[in-house]
Amino acid sequence: MANNNELEQYLKLIKELDSDNNCPVRSALEMIGGKWKLRILAQLLRKEVVRFNELKRDLSGITNTMLSNSLRELENDCLITRKQYNEMPVRVEYNITDRGKNLLPTIYELNIWWDDFITSS
Amino acid sequence: MANNNELEQYLKLIKELDSDNNCPVRSALEMIGGKWKLRILAQLLRKEVVRFNELKRDLSGITNTMLSNSLRELENDCLITRKQYNEMPVRVEYNITDRGKNLLPTIYELNIWWDDFITSS
DNA sequence: CTGCATCCAAGGCGATACTG
DNA sequence: CAGTATCGCCTTGGATGCAG
């Protein structure tokens, strides 16, 4: 991993992080935590626009309650947007925001790390 | 964020990820999840070697039970190592492994993401 | 000093039924 | 179609006391 310059930069960051409250890393993790949020975000990254029941079908096993709650929280955190069309029956579309898309490098790094982890064990 | 090449690479990854089980990203997150593990790892990244009660003092608010459980799980996952010296009284030293150190780029990306998130809101 | 055993509270998560 | 309401389980995490 990384060269020495990067390593030093990383360690410098770690030393500056708040070890108790207001740690940006933990805040970020909380925002995408929970059992379903990452799957929802991944699906929205794949599809750009998804409807409620479509998402429910895509995420095998999720219940109405959890999908509804997760979507609302993700919307409150500005990671996704919700558009409601008052047709009959109602149509609602969810899509990911730029902030949501900005998670891609992090997801990428997590994937790299896990791959290294597996291949070296 | 990122140029178009990187973006495409990231999206390609997302599309290949297992949307149900065995997703490497979720597996990685589970391994560093929970209330205290990230703080423990951060402290070990700062100090290289730490003893039990020293760590307990550093992590304000953690209980014996949680520190003990977290340390054992981190050791089982090969993110830290435990060395016991049978002196009197017993002395135990914990330090981070290379696998643990490899988390640095991920933590760095999470920090970047959160900073962008905050400054653009 | 370094933990483990036990008990307890809170919240995440799920099943089911129902509504505009 | 897109949710909400209610209920209940089970896991996570905390408090306390004890042990090698």
Side-chain angles (χ1 to χ4, degrees), chain A residues 97-116:
Chain A
T97 64
D98 284 345
R99 287 182 176 182
K101 282 186 192 164
N102 283 342
L103 278 169
L104 278 169
T106 300
I107 295 176
Y108 186 76
E109 285 294 345
L110 279 165
N111 191 65
I112 298 269
W113 181 72
W114 187 256
D115 281 350
D116 284 355

Side-chain angles (χ1 to χ4, degrees), chain A residues 85-102:
Chain A
Y85 301 89
N86 290 317
E87 309 167 349
M88 185 63 77
V90 176
R91 179 164 59 101
V92 177
E93 288 182 351
Y94 292 95
N95 54 286
I96 197 154
T97 64
D98 284 345
R99 287 182 176 182
K101 282 186 192 164
N102 283 342

Side-chain angles (χ1 to χ4, degrees), chain A residues 6-32:
Chain A
E6 284 175 328
L7 189 60
E8 272 186 41
Q9 184 185 14
Y10 294 152
L11 281 173
K12 184 162 177 292
L13 168 69
I14 288 282
K15 282 169 186 164
E16 288 167 354
L17 283 181
D18 189 333
S19 48
D20 290 335
N21 309 311
N22 302 113
C23 169
V25 178
R26 277 202 310 285
S27 302
L29 283 180
E30 276 172 24
M31 199 167 271
I32 61 173

Side-chain angles (χ1 to χ4, degrees), chain B residues 53 64-65 68 72 82 94:
Chain B
N53 275 328
N64 280 359
T65 312
S68 180
R72 189 169 352 97
R82 192 190 107 108
Y94 292 94

